[in-house]
Amino acid sequence: MPTLNIIQAVNDALRQEMRRDPTVVILGEDVGKFGGVFRASQGLQEEFGKDRVIDTPLAESGVIGTAVGMALYGLRPVPEIQFADFIFPAMDQIVSEVAKFRYRSGGQYTCPMVIRTPYGGGIRGGHYHSQSPEAHFIHTAGLKVVVPSNPHDAKGLLTSAIRDPDPVLFFEPKRMYRAARGEVPDGEVVVPIGKARVTREGRHVTLIAWGAMWHEADQAAREAADLGIECEVLDLRTLQPLDIDAIVESVQKTGRAVVVHEAPRTCGFGAEISALIQERCFLHLEAPVARVTGFDTPFPYTLESEYLPRAPRILKAVREVMAF
Amino acid sequence: MPTLNIIQAVNDALRQEMRRDPTVVILGEDVGKFGGVFRASQGLQEEFGKDRVIDTPLAESGVIGTAVGMALYGLRPVPEIQFADFIFPAMDQIVSEVAKFRYRSGGQYTCPMVIRTPYGGGIRGGHYHSQSPEAHFIHTAGLKVVVPSNPHDAKGLLTSAIRDPDPVLFFEPKRMYRAARGEVPDGEVVVPIGKARVTREGRHVTLIAWGAMWHEADQAAREAADLGIECEVLDLRTLQPLDIDAIVESVQKTGRAVVVHEAPRTCGFGAEISALIQERCFLHLEAPVARVTGFDTPFPYTLESEYLPRAPRILKAVREVMAF
Amino acid sequence: MTDPVNVPGRWEREFPLQTVIEEDGSADPARVTLTDAKALDLFRWMILSREMDERMVQLQRQGRIAFYIGAIGEEATVLGTVAGMEERDWLFPSYREHAGALYRGMPFVTFVCDLLGNAGDRMLGHQMPCHEAWAPGRFVSISAPIATQVPQAVGAAWAARIRGDDMVSLTWFGEGATSANDFHTGANFAGVHKVPVIMVCRNNGWAISVPRELQTASETIAQKAVAYGIHGERVDGNDLLAVHAATQRARVRAASGLGPTLLECVTYRVEGHSTSDDPRAYRGAEEVDAWRDRDPILRLGRYLTWRKLLPPDEVEALRAEARERIRRAVEDAETFAPKPSIQTLFQGVYAEPLWQQREQLDELRAAVAEDPRTSHPR
Amino acid sequence: MTDPVNVPGRWEREFPLQTVIEEDGSADPARVTLTDAKALDLFRWMILSREMDERMVQLQRQGRIAFYIGAIGEEATVLGTVAGMEERDWLFPSYREHAGALYRGMPFVTFVCDLLGNAGDRMLGHQMPCHEAWAPGRFVSISAPIATQVPQAVGAAWAARIRGDDMVSLTWFGEGATSANDFHTGANFAGVHKVPVIMVCRNNGWAISVPRELQTASETIAQKAVAYGIHGERVDGNDLLAVHAATQRARVRAASGLGPTLLECVTYRVEGHSTSDDPRAYRGAEEVDAWRDRDPILRLGRYLTWRKLLPPDEVEALRAEARERIRRAVEDAETFAPKPSIQTLFQGVYAEPLWQQREQLDELRAAVAEDPRTSHPR
Ligand SMILES: Cc1ncc(C[n+]2csc(CCOP(=O)(O)OP(=O)(O)O)c2C)c(N)n1
Ligand SMILES: Cc1ncc(C[n+]2csc(CCOP(=O)(O)OP(=O)(O)O)c2C)c(N)n1
Ligand SMILES: [Mg+2]
Ligand SMILES: [Mg+2]
């Protein structure tokens, strides 16, 4: 089995789905001849031509707006937003149009598409190349939200997302693009949307993370083990729909939970997970659900190591939850 | 003391602040000659002229984008977004620019402004004239978020917001525009940002609401009283910064909390409040914090009564929390 | 006669107002693109549209529907464009082109059910009145946010070209919409990729209370085409023959690979913006009265009279016929239950409801069972 | 000589490329708007800009700064425009106009501290390199999202007019930015309200890997002015004298109440988009080489030589002087601590930190105290 990084896995999924389904098209800024600034679509314009791998003018609202029209007409567009930070010019098309087309037309029109975008910090990008805006889209009914943490899931989830009948926001952890490497089967890989993965079993605390933060949570769990604390680690993989059963099952066992995300704490997805856990596991909880998150500031440049929730801060939360 | 409705109170605050401070200007679609589609700026262009009450072209990103420039230069703009549902074309200017100007320039430039916008359902507006998008802005560090529920607070909070050094999103409960009436002093009224109001004392359950939902919570509390359940009701008034002390004090007393909001449940502000309460009142809680909210769908047209959290559903949650 | 299709790559520097029907009702036959039968048919449609708009405003005043927004005075722009397209072409409406939906086969009763948001509503009561969709007629779902349909129309036409289909899409929007982000990106993308789309601006002089002069400083809307390197034309939007001819010309251009057209139709919003609006607060009666004389129905009527196709009492007969159709549609629509069932709340958000939506439906059902006020209007 | 200020309300239908410096370095004195001293001064600035860009790219390659984006080949556009404005005018940069910040008095060492994001950084380490702000010089904070500064520049100029100040604002952006929403709304608002703003498009041929032809189908960028009813001009952006003259003209127009100008400066991005880019993946060397010959510094040098202001070995001397200034700035900047203090994380988000920010600072401090890895780079 070949060893790929996340960018290669994304590229692989795109290529396979484009071969399988002639309606799949890619569009976005720099995605064509250049193959994308992170090279996710490298080589695809050569293979599939300029009609299916399209360099667009510089306007995210146009990228998504035209993708809506393509999807309505029966294509399966996979627009790229160059950095998740630049999704806001397309917010109206996503929130008002993509998310509501099926609903508002009583099911007469649908616009399935996969909006791929690199997100997250740790690449010295400052606040316009590091944000994690997933909460905005989880809060918008009509959208699904997927975040892989490793090459295998990147390929498998992207494949599922492209085949999904609903629009999907696909956030790729850019810090792990080349850092996360792993074996990925050559042929079709399908990882179902809506299923979390228990990556480590444990009976003391449940660590809940996704994307790049899963790697930090995993590291914290290893260090906790040295202290005799057994963490169960969940890689959510899909944020909407959330795998609530996996969370409840784990927390009912451990009685403790720590949620980790990069986005600012207030109104981040950690709040929703915390609320859901206390609604469903109230009598099992030994300690409050803890949140280890980005701070309530824009993403900083120089002090990004301090800003990002990393293993030491997660470990600290684990110990505090255990000591509660 | 004159009796005003919310629209009149808003108009009154705008007029007084414009008289007091020559840098205050209003801009937006239909706000000038017409005085706004809800008539919030009625009569102001006549009094202050076309330079200070400006009818703009139809582009929310332009309304906010030019307001940023005005604020940088030293004016105090009060842009209006005609309906909160139409704020999304301006999302990039708000999230990337308004919220980050002070931070990114190391405090060299600031752009204080008050973005006024009617929000919420119950006016047969369907999903493009009924939404409550506050969570998006609470999640965006750099912004303050204010929601009055009555004419007095509308005047007092808007006055504070206009004088505030930070940008403020000012959400006005349009369903209560004319329905909520009350006495409002003629002269200066200042209600501080960041302070909730306990509108009813009680020892069994804390009801937390804001804007139009405060009226439903209040109604539910009255009905609960008939059942012998004493609710303490909080009108938050400011969502960011949240008056955490008022919440914690109340819930530590009652041991139970129900949060009410119109926005969809998942990743709504109720999740944050629920998470904060269990983080801070864990050992005081007798039951999980309950959420009575809009559902995870776009805002509907015909079934809006069913969709909106109203007194009966709040009362049901109160009884369930009591019975836990 | 010169080729109606312009030289590719050349952009126009003058945008004269094109008319076909003269003051006295005559027209140069060489410039008429409609058969007599078709012209008469469209006259009938214009009358239906007008009668419908007037009736629906009445129903709104009576409280039987909550909201209405119509096209009084703009019928030639709406019907001239839709009639200039092929059946297979997709239409991306703004919110005044209901006649287009009906023309494309949406049953009248279905349209009225949408206005009522009742159990017969094809949109399941999800949308406000006047935000209909009719997929069998390729009439795309109406949105409220201004101009979002423009890049969508571009995307659909682009997709058709990618698939090799001879389909040209058409989108309507107001002159106010040309200030919006999406007009800009739609037109720009269409220009770069020579997408077969027709962008029809119903320049009706007003965007709610904002007059044309406060919307943009360009002398015409058509000249905005220059910014995108695309073809622009400007026609009298109250002259059905002019609108139809320009639409057909634009369709030929688009289908021949010569790219998009921005078609400005100069017309006027004779009534308030919608039933929520009172235009007396911001504009004078004289302006409106001047436009009443330029009524597009009278205009086409004069042409038909000149062509000897319209006997003197025919108009009244057509009106009566239209009113009868409307009466029946309203009557039929009102036989449906006033509300769709409660589960429609969660229907169509996703292909399949999410777990929390299923829970929320149960929650709501329990609440309704416990206290019927839960589903009562305030 | 004709009045340089155009007739109001008239829009141009031709946008010829305007030049002042001829191939041989000569120029028609009637069209030169710079004194010899000023021209020489700007030549010095162009050399400083070039040397700085080259040096900073080196520092990035050495890992001493993380990122750099410069203006190699576009110096005449940047410096010709800034020099054409008054000191009191506000500048709204994109991200290649660092020479403008320095010209407006930002200390060189402060600029380098911004690149390092160290304790001397005026932006408190909050922003990426090359996103400086310098309020004392009315050089507004640089953003990354494309074109957001355009309506902001319009708003500031509008505010100045409302307050009665004689202030014209100027904003720079690339030709890619003309596709963005905010270019459109900024230009449109400026047109309707005749705002005294100059919108300078650095048309450098590329937006990262996207060539001009895939950005817009309009033959020129200047003609986009037609869409907004504003004045448009097109100049050779590598000809400092042409850029300066056009800027001054536009400033006179704006200050006289004649409204905004869209000024297209035709230039070329000779290097990669930024240090993160490798342009060999998408464009050929021949195209680049052709532009190297049209270098704006050589061009102004030929003019100065023609004016007998530039002895043969002067250029090398100026270069050496610039390099020395840069060397000292880097040296001084590197004396600051590599990181600002931890509380700067929470500084300047609001006027006063919120309670949760104070808690989070305490939380972070405790975490760092407990495990120093918390603040170590990965
Ligand atoms: C993004 C957005 N902003 C504001 C509105 C409110 N609004 C509805 S219609 C309208 C005016 C539209 O004018 P125009 O485009 O000229 O179309 P017309 O109504 O004249 O046909 C406005 C401001 C909206 N629907 N969407
Ligand atoms: C909204 C947004 N989308 C995408 C980007 C990524 N990006 C940075 S620069 C750039 C190209 C800009 O080209 P142009 O406007 O021509 O300016 P130039 O770099 O040539 O000076 C892109 C796409 C961005 N910064 N902001
Ligand atoms: Mg209009
Ligand atoms: Mg460029």
Side-chain angles (χ1 to χ4, degrees):
Chain A
M1 230 188 310
T3 296
L4 303 183
N5 63 29
I6 293 183
I7 271 291
Q8 292 165 331
V10 165
N11 186 268
D12 198 19
L14 290 171
R15 188 185 309 270
Q16 291 201 12
E17 288 306 294
M18 292 188 79
R19 285 182 183 161
R20 195 188 60 85
D21 177 357
T23 70
V24 176
V25 297
I26 290 175
L27 68 166
E29 298 155 11
D30 304 292
V31 301
K33 184 157 189 194
F34 192 33
V37 296
F38 289 101
R39 324 310 296 272
S41 47
Q42 196 165 17
L44 299 182
Q45 193 181 67
E46 276 159 37
E47 179 168 349
F48 302 102
K50 288 190 183 177
D51 261 1
R52 290 186 65 197
V53 186
I54 305 167
D55 276 318
T56 69
L58 204 173
E60 288 74 15
S61 57
V63 173
I64 304 299
T66 53
V68 170
M70 291 177 177
L72 293 172
Y73 195 78
L75 298 187
R76 188 58 63 116
V78 186
E80 175 181 289
I81 300 292
Q82 200 163 88
F83 283 83
D85 314 75
F86 303 139
I87 206 165
F88 297 110
M91 198 71 180
D92 191 45
Q93 281 287 342
I94 298 173
V95 167
S96 305
E97 301 291 317
V98 175
K100 294 179 172 59
F101 237 106
R102 183 192 290 272
Y103 179 83
R104 79 178 193 217
S105 65
Q108 294 182 75
Y109 289 100
T110 65
C111 54
M113 66 173 71
V114 182
I115 303 176
R116 285 186 44 251
T117 185
Y119 86 97
I123 59 144
R124 311 216 65 187
H127 45 265
Y128 295 122
H129 299 83
S130 305
Q131 291 169 91
S132 300
E134 67 272 4
H136 293 289
F137 305 100
I138 302 170
H139 186 48
T140 304
L143 305 175
K144 291 178 175 168
V145 180
V146 172
V147 194
S149 70
N150 61 62
H152 177 274
D153 287 355
K155 180 169 176 183
L157 288 166
L158 183 52
T159 302
S160 296
I162 293 173
R163 300 177 187 183
D164 200 271
D166 295 311
V168 178
L169 274 281
F170 195 84
F171 288 100
E172 299 168 4
K174 74 173 98 65
R175 180 163 73 82
M176 305 310 297
Y177 262 159
R178 287 162 213 282
R181 298 177 56 80
E183 294 200 333
V184 182
D186 250 338
E188 180 176 85
V189 179
V190 178
V191 173
I193 286 177
K195 288 273 164 251
R197 192 165 68 99
V198 178
T199 63
R200 183 189 185 96
E201 302 206 350
R203 59 200 168 95
H204 295 137
V205 192
T206 304
L207 297 189
I208 301 168
W210 56 89
M213 287 302 103
W214 173 83
H215 298 269
E216 300 293 338
D218 182 59
Q219 171 68 17
R222 286 169 206 277
E223 298 184 17
D226 295 340
L227 305 175
I229 306 174
E230 293 176 25
C231 295
E232 179 140 309
V233 182
L234 257 66
D235 180 355
L236 288 184
R237 306 200 291 195
T238 301
L239 309 189
Q240 179 77 293
L242 181 67
D243 189 347
I244 186 71
D245 294 339
I247 292 174
V248 168
E249 190 182 324
S250 178
V251 179
Q252 288 192 347
K253 178 173 72 177
T254 60
R256 297 176 187 86
V258 175
V259 192
V260 187
H261 62 68
E262 295 185 46
R265 183 167 310 163
T266 298
C267 268
F269 191 44
E272 179 63 35
I273 296 173
S274 174
L276 286 170
I277 290 175
Q278 68 97 35
E279 281 162 12
R280 280 145 211 268
C281 308
F282 189 73
L283 296 176
H284 295 82
L285 280 180
E286 308 280 347
V289 180
R291 294 186 279 170
V292 183
T293 66
F295 300 119
D296 284 336
T297 75
F299 199 100
Y301 173 68
T302 307
L303 297 175
E304 70 170 339
S305 300
E306 287 79 354
Y307 181 90
L308 279 171
R310 293 189 304 150
R313 266 171 64 206
I314 300 170
L315 184 62
K316 182 167 184 288
V318 166
R319 283 164 46 215
E320 283 165 6
V321 162
M322 288 302 294
F324 185 82
Chain B
M1 234 190 304
T3 296
L4 303 183
N5 63 30
I6 293 182
I7 271 291
Q8 291 165 330
V10 165
N11 186 268
D12 198 18
L14 290 171
R15 187 185 309 270
Q16 291 200 11
E17 288 306 294
M18 292 187 79
R19 285 183 183 162
R20 195 186 61 83
D21 178 355
T23 68
V24 176
V25 296
I26 291 175
L27 69 164
E29 298 156 11
D30 303 293
V31 301
K33 186 158 187 194
F34 191 34
V37 297
F38 289 103
R39 322 313 295 273
S41 47
Q42 196 166 13
L44 299 183
Q45 194 181 65
E46 278 159 36
E47 179 168 348
F48 301 103
K50 288 188 181 176
D51 261 1
R52 292 186 63 198
V53 186
I54 304 166
D55 276 317
T56 68
L58 206 172
E60 288 75 14
S61 56
V63 173
I64 303 301
T66 54
V68 170
M70 291 177 178
L72 293 172
Y73 194 76
L75 298 187
R76 188 60 61 113
V78 186
E80 176 182 290
I81 300 292
Q82 199 162 89
F83 283 83
D85 313 76
F86 304 140
I87 206 163
F88 297 109
M91 198 72 179
D92 191 44
Q93 280 288 342
I94 298 174
V95 167
S96 304
E97 300 292 318
V98 175
K100 294 180 174 60
F101 237 105
R102 182 192 291 274
Y103 179 84
R104 80 178 191 217
S105 65
Q108 294 183 76
Y109 289 100
T110 64
C111 56
M113 67 173 69
V114 182
I115 303 176
R116 287 185 44 249
T117 186
Y119 86 96
I123 59 145
R124 310 216 65 185
H127 45 266
Y128 294 124
H129 298 83
S130 306
Q131 291 169 90
S132 300
E134 67 273 4
H136 293 289
F137 305 99
I138 302 170
H139 187 48
T140 304
L143 305 176
K144 291 179 175 168
V145 180
V146 173
V147 194
S149 71
N150 61 61
H152 177 274
D153 287 355
K155 180 168 176 184
L157 288 166
L158 183 51
T159 301
S160 296
I162 292 173
R163 299 178 187 181
D164 202 90
D166 294 312
V168 178
L169 274 281
F170 195 84
F171 288 101
E172 299 168 6
K174 72 172 99 66
R175 180 163 74 81
M176 305 311 297
Y177 260 161
R178 287 164 212 282
R181 298 177 57 79
E183 295 200 334
V184 183
D186 249 338
E188 180 175 84
V189 179
V190 178
V191 174
I193 287 178
K195 288 274 163 249
R197 192 165 68 98
V198 178
T199 63
R200 184 188 184 99
E201 301 207 350
R203 61 202 165 92
H204 294 136
V205 193
T206 303
L207 297 190
I208 300 169
W210 58 88
M213 287 302 104
W214 173 84
H215 297 270
E216 300 293 337
D218 182 59
Q219 171 68 18
R222 284 168 208 276
E223 298 184 17
D226 295 340
L227 305 175
I229 306 174
E230 294 175 26
C231 295
E232 180 141 308
V233 182
L234 256 66
D235 180 355
L236 288 185
R237 306 198 291 193
T238 300
L239 309 188
Q240 179 75 294
L242 181 66
D243 189 346
I244 186 71
D245 294 337
I247 293 175
V248 168
E249 190 182 324
S250 179
V251 179
Q252 287 192 346
K253 177 174 71 177
T254 60
R256 298 175 186 88
V258 176
V259 192
V260 187
H261 63 67
E262 297 184 45
R265 183 166 311 164
T266 299
C267 268
F269 190 43
E272 178 63 36
I273 295 173
S274 174
L276 286 171
I277 290 174
Q278 67 98 36
E279 281 162 12
R280 278 145 213 267
C281 309
F282 189 72
L283 297 176
H284 294 82
L285 281 179
E286 308 282 347
V289 179
R291 293 185 280 170
V292 183
T293 67
F295 300 119
D296 284 335
T297 74
F299 198 101
Y301 174 67
T302 307
L303 297 175
E304 70 171 338
S305 300
E306 287 79 355
Y307 181 89
L308 279 171
R310 292 190 303 149
R313 267 172 63 207
I314 300 170
L315 184 62
K316 182 167 184 289
V318 166
R319 284 162 47 210
E320 283 165 5
V321 163
M322 288 303 296
F324 186 83
Chain C
M1 209 183 95
T2 53
D3 183 3
V5 176
N6 277 37
V7 185
R10 183 185 152 259
W11 54 271
E12 291 68 31
R13 285 156 200 256
E14 300 294 341
F15 302 91
L17 189 74
Q18 305 176 48
T19 58
V20 173
I21 306 178
E22 307 290 337
E23 276 300 306
D24 62 0
S26 67
D28 173 358
R31 302 181 54 223
V32 174
T33 49
L34 283 170
T35 62
D36 286 347
K38 194 76 197 157
L40 203 52
D41 183 50
L42 287 168
F43 186 65
R44 206 175 271 121
W45 273 103
M46 286 169 74
I47 284 173
L48 180 70
S49 176
R50 174 71 55 87
E51 296 293 324
M52 171 175 83
D53 283 352
E54 287 179 347
R55 179 69 184 135
M56 296 307 148
V57 170
Q58 277 179 350
L59 290 190
Q60 194 276 339
R61 302 272 183 255
Q62 295 167 10
R64 285 158 76 186
I65 60 179
F67 171 86
Y68 192 76
I69 187 162
I72 292 180
E74 305 180 41
E75 293 89 349
T77 293
V78 175
L79 285 156
T81 45
V82 71
M85 301 299 285
E86 302 291 328
E87 274 287 317
R88 64 183 173 280
D89 295 333
W90 285 44
L91 306 174
F92 287 77
S94 62
Y95 44 72
R96 298 193 192 279
E97 298 85 5
H98 313 304
L102 300 172
Y103 189 92
R104 280 297 183 84
M106 184 178 198
F108 211 141
V109 58
T110 308
F111 176 67
V112 180
C113 284
D114 165 58
L115 300 182
L116 296 165
N118 66 14
D121 179 12
R122 188 65 194 78
M123 270 58 67
L124 306 177
H126 288 171
Q127 272 265 38
M128 267 179 87
C130 296
H131 290 71
E132 71 274 10
W134 184 246
R138 289 154 300 288
F139 185 91
V140 176
S141 165
I142 295 177
S143 189
I146 293 293
T148 50
Q149 73 276 18
V150 178
Q152 295 169 3
V154 173
W158 197 346
R161 198 190 49 204
I162 290 172
R163 301 188 94 163
D165 299 349
D166 172 18
M167 191 289 279
V168 175
S169 67
L170 178 144
T171 179
W172 292 283
F173 47 88
E175 84 296 342
T178 64
S179 298
N181 298 337
D182 281 338
F183 165 76
H184 179 62
T185 54
N188 192 47
F189 275 52
V192 172
H193 292 276
K194 284 200 173 301
V195 173
V197 64
I198 306 176
M199 290 173 278
V200 179
C201 180
R202 284 186 293 88
N203 176 0
N204 63 7
W206 293 87
I208 309 186
S209 75
V210 179
R212 160 73 179 79
E213 319 80 77
L214 288 182
Q215 201 59 249
T216 174
S218 69
E219 293 81 351
T220 67
I221 299 293
Q223 78 193 53
K224 290 178 184 290
V226 172
Y228 308 107
I230 65 177
H231 183 74
E233 292 202 24
R234 188 159 190 256
V235 302
D236 183 335
N238 284 8
D239 177 343
L240 183 100
L241 296 188
V243 173
H244 184 266
T247 307
Q248 274 201 341
R249 239 173 7 243
R251 200 192 178 287
V252 171
R253 279 184 57 82
S256 322
L258 296 176
T261 296
L262 172 61
L263 178 59
E264 174 184 3
C265 298
V266 181
T267 179
Y268 191 75
R269 195 197 78 204
V270 175
E271 299 294 325
H273 172 74
S274 72
T275 51
S276 311
D277 183 39
D278 179 1
R280 286 168 307 183
Y282 53 78
R283 72 180 184 191
E286 323 73 57
E287 177 183 322
V288 184
D289 290 342
W291 279 91
R292 283 195 203 278
D293 299 339
R294 304 193 221 163
D295 189 297
I297 299 183
L298 295 179
R299 180 88 165 267
L300 187 62
R302 282 197 290 275
Y303 170 74
L304 295 173
T305 305
W306 177 73
R307 294 284 302 153
K308 305 210 167 41
L309 295 165
L310 201 66
D313 49 0
E314 179 76 359
V315 175
E316 200 33 64
L318 291 175
R319 278 217 193 94
E321 185 192 297
R323 277 197 286 261
E324 176 54 19
R325 256 191 89 183
I326 295 161
R327 196 194 56 70
R328 257 184 292 119
V330 173
E331 191 174 285
D332 291 352
E334 287 185 333
T335 63
F336 287 87
K339 282 187 178 187
S341 68
I342 221 167
Q343 72 266 28
T344 58
L345 260 182
F346 297 91
Q347 218 171 303
V349 185
Y350 296 91
E352 296 295 333
L354 309 185
W355 60 264
Q356 70 260 44
Q357 297 181 303
R358 290 193 303 267
E359 282 187 10
Q360 289 167 10
L361 175 57
D362 291 345
E363 202 180 303
L364 176 59
R365 282 196 167 124
V368 174
E370 202 168 287
D371 187 340
R373 287 182 307 159
T374 302
S375 63
H376 289 175
R378 206 166 315 272
Chain D
M1 208 185 99
T2 54
D3 182 5
V5 177
N6 275 38
V7 185
R10 184 184 152 260
W11 54 273
E12 292 67 34
R13 285 154 200 259
E14 300 294 342
F15 302 91
L17 188 74
Q18 305 175 47
T19 57
V20 172
I21 307 177
E22 308 291 335
E23 277 301 306
D24 61 1
S26 67
D28 173 357
R31 301 182 56 223
V32 174
T33 48
L34 282 170
T35 62
D36 285 347
K38 193 77 198 156
L40 203 53
D41 182 51
L42 287 168
F43 186 66
R44 207 174 271 122
W45 274 104
M46 285 169 74
I47 285 175
L48 180 70
S49 176
R50 174 73 52 88
E51 295 295 324
M52 171 174 84
D53 284 352
E54 288 178 347
R55 178 70 183 134
M56 296 307 148
V57 169
Q58 276 179 352
L59 290 190
Q60 194 276 340
R61 302 270 184 256
Q62 295 167 10
R64 285 159 74 188
I65 60 178
F67 172 86
Y68 192 76
I69 185 161
I72 291 179
E74 305 181 41
E75 293 89 350
T77 293
V78 175
L79 284 157
T81 46
V82 73
M85 302 298 285
E86 302 291 328
E87 274 287 316
R88 64 183 173 281
D89 295 333
W90 285 44
L91 306 174
F92 287 76
S94 60
Y95 43 71
R96 296 194 193 279
E97 298 85 4
H98 313 304
L102 300 173
Y103 189 90
R104 281 294 184 87
M106 185 177 196
F108 210 140
V109 58
T110 308
F111 176 70
V112 181
C113 284
D114 166 59
L115 301 181
L116 296 165
N118 67 13
D121 179 12
R122 188 65 195 78
M123 271 57 69
L124 306 176
H126 289 171
Q127 272 264 39
M128 269 179 85
C130 297
H131 290 70
E132 70 275 9
W134 183 247
R138 287 154 302 286
F139 186 92
V140 176
S141 163
I142 296 177
S143 190
I146 293 293
T148 50
Q149 73 276 19
V150 180
Q152 295 169 3
V154 173
W158 196 346
R161 200 191 47 203
I162 289 171
R163 301 187 95 163
D165 299 348
D166 173 19
M167 192 287 280
V168 174
S169 68
L170 179 144
T171 179
W172 292 284
F173 47 87
E175 85 295 342
T178 64
S179 298
N181 298 338
D182 282 337
F183 165 76
H184 179 61
T185 55
N188 192 47
F189 275 53
V192 172
H193 292 276
K194 286 199 172 299
V195 173
V197 64
I198 306 175
M199 290 172 280
V200 179
C201 180
R202 285 186 292 89
N203 176 359
N204 64 7
W206 292 88
I208 309 185
S209 75
V210 179
R212 162 70 181 80
E213 320 79 78
L214 289 182
Q215 201 58 250
T216 174
S218 69
E219 293 82 351
T220 67
I221 299 293
Q223 78 193 53
K224 290 179 184 286
V226 172
Y228 309 106
I230 66 177
H231 184 75
E233 292 203 27
R234 189 159 189 256
V235 302
D236 183 335
N238 285 7
D239 176 343
L240 183 100
L241 297 188
V243 173
H244 183 266
T247 306
Q248 275 204 338
R249 243 180 351 253
R251 200 191 178 287
V252 170
R253 278 186 58 82
S256 324
L258 297 175
T261 296
L262 173 61
L263 179 60
E264 175 184 2
C265 298
V266 181
T267 178
Y268 191 76
R269 196 196 78 206
V270 175
E271 298 294 325
H273 171 74
S274 71
T275 51
S276 310
D277 184 40
D278 179 1
R280 287 169 306 184
Y282 53 78
R283 72 179 184 191
E286 324 74 57
E287 177 184 321
V288 183
D289 291 341
W291 279 92
R292 282 193 205 278
D293 299 339
R294 304 193 222 163
D295 189 297
I297 298 182
L298 295 180
R299 180 87 165 268
L300 187 62
R302 282 199 290 275
Y303 169 73
L304 294 174
T305 305
W306 178 72
R307 293 284 303 153
K308 307 211 166 40
L309 296 164
L310 202 66
D313 49 1
E314 178 76 359
V315 175
E316 201 32 66
L318 291 175
R319 277 217 193 93
E321 184 192 299
R323 279 197 284 260
E324 176 54 18
R325 255 191 91 183
I326 296 162
R327 197 195 55 71
R328 256 184 295 118
V330 173
E331 192 175 283
D332 292 350
E334 287 185 332
T335 63
F336 287 87
K339 281 186 178 188
S341 68
I342 222 167
Q343 72 265 26
T344 58
L345 260 182
F346 297 91
Q347 218 170 302
V349 186
Y350 296 90
E352 296 296 331
L354 309 185
W355 59 264
Q356 70 261 43
Q357 296 181 305
R358 290 193 304 267
E359 282 188 11
Q360 289 166 10
L361 175 58
D362 290 344
E363 202 180 303
L364 176 59
R365 282 196 167 123
V368 174
E370 201 168 286
D371 188 339
R373 288 183 307 158
T374 303
S375 63
H376 289 175
R378 209 167 309 276

